[in-house]
Amino acid sequence: MRNGMKSIDHIALQVDDIRESVNWYVLKYGCKILHRDDTWAFLQFKNIKLALVTEDEHPYHIAFEVDEVDGKKHRDGSVSKYIDDPSGNKIELIKY
């Protein structure tokens, strides 16, 4: 899998309120909103994307873009799956 890894795609942080957090990041850092609903948001910064997630809907994680992954297909056409690192941290492998 190491040869197929491209780069860090995004980091997902757990937040209490999606809308409040999106507004804060947009006002403070000027990022672009790629997606926002009641359970998660996806923000684009110059060099990385940031996902804001709620505890009961999505795990907080770091995502690596890969060349191939056998996983779940999402609305945007991407495919991903979650794995755990040796310490139990969630890692998302994602292919666009």
Side-chain angles (χ1 to χ4, degrees):
M1 194 176 317
R2 181 181 311 146
N3 294 335
M5 194 151 316
K6 293 181 179 182
S7 62
I8 293 175
D9 182 70
H10 66 271
I11 296 170
L13 299 177
Q14 185 177 319
V15 298
D16 296 325
D17 184 288
I18 296 293
R19 293 198 185 281
E20 177 184 50
S21 296
V22 166
N23 291 340
W24 187 83
Y25 279 99
V26 169
L27 289 172
K28 186 134 179 111
Y29 298 106
C31 56
K32 178 180 173 185
I33 301 169
L34 300 176
H35 175 83
R36 177 181 55 200
D37 65 26
D38 292 335
T39 67
W40 73 284
F42 213 28
L43 307 176
Q44 177 70 58
F45 292 81
K46 185 175 180 180
N47 62 338
I48 196 166
K49 291 176 282 210
L50 176 65
L52 302 175
V53 300
T54 57
E55 180 180 18
D56 54 342
E57 293 289 331
H58 306 276
Y60 49 93
H61 60 274
I62 186 169
F64 293 96
E65 186 177 353
V66 294
D67 292 326
E68 293 297 326
V69 65
D70 181 27
K72 178 183 174 186
K73 189 169 185 175
H74 302 285
R75 295 175 274 206
D76 64 0
S78 65
V79 178
S80 74
K81 77 174 183 178
Y82 291 99
I83 61 172
D84 291 338
D85 77 3
S87 297
N89 297 299
K90 292 292 181 201
I91 306 294
E92 183 181 21
L93 304 176
I94 190 165
K95 178 183 185 295
Y96 291 99

